Amino acid sequence: MFEMYIEATVRGYHAYLDDASVRIGEILACEMELDNSHDKYAVAIKNQDGNLVGHVPKELSRLFHKFLDDFGELEAECIGNRLNAGKGKGVEIPVDYRLVGNDVYLGKLKRKLSKKDFADDINMSKIQRIIES
């Protein structure tokens, strides 16, 4: 198996921060949210207590939704304090998304992401083999 990291954010934290907290270093679960009326490709982000803290940004949700459907291994690690960068996006949480899958699939995903309009706004790691301990 191989892994790749994508530095981005969790969107919509402002809607959940009264009921759910997130700590720097916390690993967050990523789950398809099939009943979301705003985005049919929504991916919900939950803290270690199982509380919803936000969603994968819409510009990434379709690719991540398909990735979860095909492989089912995606998580996010909180890497900073919540922020509001403006642009109408609300309060966000900076995270590193960790995608685990085969190198061919991850390579295709990385190429698709690099062609998107927002590619300059995200950082992607190299695809690396996971070393089992």
Side-chain angles (χ1 to χ4, degrees):
M1 294 303 276
F2 291 79
E3 66 184 359
M4 179 176 93
Y5 290 86
I6 299 173
E7 186 179 325
T9 62
V10 171
R11 286 251 169 88
Y13 184 56
H14 56 279
Y16 308 102
L17 59 85
D18 288 340
D19 300 319
S21 63
V22 176
R23 297 177 317 280
I24 295 174
E26 184 172 355
I27 303 299
L28 308 169
C30 302
E31 303 171 359
M32 292 186 293
E33 192 176 66
L34 302 175
D35 61 349
N36 188 302
S37 61
H38 301 288
D39 180 3
K40 68 180 180 179
Y41 300 109
V43 177
I45 310 296
K46 296 183 177 181
N47 66 9
Q48 291 177 343
D49 294 330
N51 295 317
L52 183 64
V53 298
H55 292 86
V56 167
K58 193 161 186 160
E59 55 268 18
L60 293 173
S61 66
R62 186 175 193 156
L63 292 170
F64 282 11
H65 190 277
K66 179 164 177 33
F67 183 82
L68 279 168
D69 201 31
D70 292 346
F71 287 97
E73 201 163 340
L74 172 66
E75 64 185 18
E77 179 182 355
C78 178
I79 59 171
N81 293 316
R82 66 184 190 203
L83 58 99
N84 187 337
K87 302 179 189 174
K89 296 178 183 174
V91 178
E92 300 175 289
I93 304 167
V95 296
D96 263 342
Y97 288 102
R98 179 178 180 251
L99 295 83
V100 176
N102 71 50
D103 59 334
V104 174
Y105 192 102
L106 289 173
K108 288 179 183 177
L109 181 69
K110 189 170 184 173
R111 283 190 294 281
K112 283 181 183 178
L113 284 169
S114 66
K115 294 177 184 176
K116 299 286 185 185
D117 292 338
F118 58 86
D120 292 338
D121 296 334
I122 59 173
N123 294 315
M124 293 182 279
S125 74
K126 292 181 181 178
I127 297 168
Q128 302 174 58
R129 180 181 296 276
I130 298 173
I131 300 172
E132 302 292 329
S133 52

